[in-house]
Amino acid sequence: MPSEPHVFRRVGHALALLIGVVLLCSTARAQEVLKFDETKVNLGTISDDQSQIHAFHFTNISGRRIRVAMSYCHFCSPPILDKSVLQPGESGTVVVELDPTGRRGQYAASVSVAEEGKPGTRVEIELKAEVCPRIWVEPTSMFPRITHGRGATGSFSVVGRTKGFKVLRIESDVPMDGFDFGPVVDFEEFGSPAHKQEVTVHFPKDAPIGPFAANLRVVTSDEDAPKKGVSVSGQVVGQIDHSPGTIRFAVKPGEPFRTTFDIVAEEGPVIVHSLDITDRDECTSVALDVAYTPDPARVRVTISGIAPMRERQMIAINVRAVASTLSMGGEETHNIPVMMVARFPAK
């Protein structure tokens, strides 16, 4: 049988534990300042053509006058707080907006509400839904690399939900070489029937070398649905390029320099019609030499000269090359920058 002091020690430990639990609960209740009627609301399945709002009601149960502070997710619409200062027992409202535009599937807007300066009183509220777009285009941005003289293709898909849905045409602010429409595929999504169609874009073969931008507008049989678009931001490149892509090296001020690069074609043989220096900075005795290589798709160019008497400054020389291949049916002009930095040798 345990001794009497030992029994008292056990009772004392149990009592201390009980007091600790009571104090912890009391502290938790003391930190509860804002009492919300509800903190999470699920709207279920919604369309993407109309924003949804919900008012979250709460009460100041702290027994003192407080100031309310809010923070919210960076991609959400700013919530609206009807009053920022509440007296004891006073109620307030936070209106949360869920904007489904451009969304598909599960989506939520969350807000943190707390007594200002007291993060321990924070309450998280959330408004969520499953967004079922009436029309969905994916992707909405295209980044094609178009070879001049050959063109390129890219594709995107269009999903609709009305009976007999299909893509009627694609409108573009820049002429394209054409569009191909795949068959309409029926499937089920978000518990309802849907229809999907693939669109292939033929980018223009004759687009000039450089950046290429266009805006496409998808016209479908669902006339009442919001219009969807696809942005195009690409690059038109020639069939001829230079290697390395960046020509940069160090030189000594006032001393001779020499470097090489290649003019390269996708398919040889490459023919260089002319090679000129359009900008030589302050370099002198600048010369170019062209030599054909065993690879018919490459031509080696050597540039030499004397660097100017400048230190720690970029020196820019620009070479203009006009070249073609037997299969191109035309010539391409390329401006090739050659960059140097002048440095005196360390003493």
Side-chain angles (χ1 to χ4, degrees):
M1 181 175 181
S3 63
E4 189 173 299
H6 186 67
V7 172
F8 287 153
R9 280 197 299 272
R10 285 187 176 180
V11 173
H13 290 161
L15 183 60
L17 181 61
L18 180 60
I19 293 173
V21 171
V22 171
L23 289 175
L24 184 62
C25 293
S26 299
T27 302
R29 283 197 299 269
Q31 288 184 342
E32 189 177 10
V33 172
L34 304 174
K35 181 68 174 178
F36 277 81
D37 296 346
E38 55 186 353
T39 57
K40 295 185 183 295
V41 173
N42 190 343
L43 300 175
T45 302
I46 63 172
S47 182
D48 66 333
D49 55 0
Q50 187 174 358
S51 292
Q52 305 290 323
I53 61 172
H54 185 82
F56 290 84
H57 301 283
F58 64 95
T59 304
N60 172 16
I61 63 171
S62 67
R64 64 179 183 278
R65 180 178 179 271
I66 65 167
R67 180 176 292 275
V68 180
M70 294 191 306
S71 61
Y72 55 96
C73 49
H74 69 278
F75 53 82
C76 299
S77 302
I80 300 173
L81 179 66
D82 66 339
K83 58 186 76 171
S84 59
V85 177
L86 275 73
Q87 301 298 331
E90 187 176 3
S91 296
T93 301
V94 178
V95 177
V96 180
E97 179 182 1
L98 191 69
D99 184 1
T101 306
R103 306 285 178 178
R104 185 187 190 190
Q106 288 288 338
Y107 181 49
S110 59
V111 182
S112 294
V113 187
E115 180 181 358
E116 188 175 74
K118 296 185 178 181
T121 65
R122 182 174 63 242
V123 179
E124 301 286 343
I125 60 176
E126 181 185 65
L127 181 63
K128 68 178 182 179
E130 190 168 43
V131 183
C132 177
R134 184 163 177 169
I135 291 183
W136 181 258
V137 175
E138 189 175 22
T140 56
S141 299
M142 305 179 74
F143 307 94
R145 181 179 173 86
I146 307 167
T147 301
H148 181 75
R150 295 184 181 177
T153 61
S155 63
F156 59 88
S157 61
V158 184
V159 175
R161 305 188 184 280
T162 55
K163 186 177 181 180
F165 176 85
K166 66 178 180 178
V167 178
L168 298 180
R169 64 183 182 276
I170 306 296
E171 299 174 348
S172 174
D173 59 356
V174 173
M176 299 288 173
D177 283 357
F179 302 94
D180 293 335
F181 303 104
V184 178
V185 178
D186 299 331
F187 67 106
E188 187 171 299
E189 186 180 47
F190 305 116
S192 62
H195 318 281
K196 184 177 182 178
Q197 194 169 10
E198 198 83 8
V199 177
T200 300
V201 184
H202 295 269
F203 298 105
K205 298 182 179 67
D206 59 353
I209 294 174
F212 179 84
N215 291 296
L216 309 180
R217 182 170 175 266
V218 181
V219 181
T220 72
S221 58
D222 189 351
E223 298 178 353
D224 297 329
K227 304 304 178 185
K228 300 293 183 179
V230 177
S231 64
V232 179
S233 179
Q235 190 75 20
V236 181
V237 299
Q239 297 183 41
I240 297 173
D241 205 347
H242 64 276
S243 177
T246 301
I247 306 169
R248 181 177 297 181
F249 57 98
V251 297
K252 297 178 182 179
E255 294 194 12
F257 64 84
R258 179 186 178 91
T259 192
T260 63
F261 61 88
D262 290 350
I263 296 175
V264 186
E266 287 189 353
E267 294 181 3
V270 60
I271 304 167
V272 178
H273 299 280
S274 64
L275 203 62
D276 303 299
I277 298 170
T278 58
D279 185 5
R280 64 186 65 227
D281 207 330
E282 296 178 359
C283 299
T284 57
S285 303
V286 181
L288 294 170
D289 179 65
V290 178
Y292 287 89
T293 70
D295 183 353
R298 285 180 175 267
V299 171
R300 180 67 45 83
V301 178
T302 301
I303 182 170
S304 59
I306 299 175
M309 288 296 297
R310 300 200 318 242
E311 184 186 12
R312 298 187 183 281
Q313 291 186 23
M314 294 303 298
I315 301 165
I317 297 177
N318 192 74
V319 178
R320 182 176 61 196
V322 180
S324 66
T325 67
L326 294 180
S327 61
M328 279 176 53
E331 298 176 352
E332 290 183 3
T333 300
H334 291 265
N335 292 307
I336 305 170
V338 178
M339 307 299 294
M340 299 174 283
V341 59
R343 293 194 180 98
F344 282 108
K347 295 181 180 179

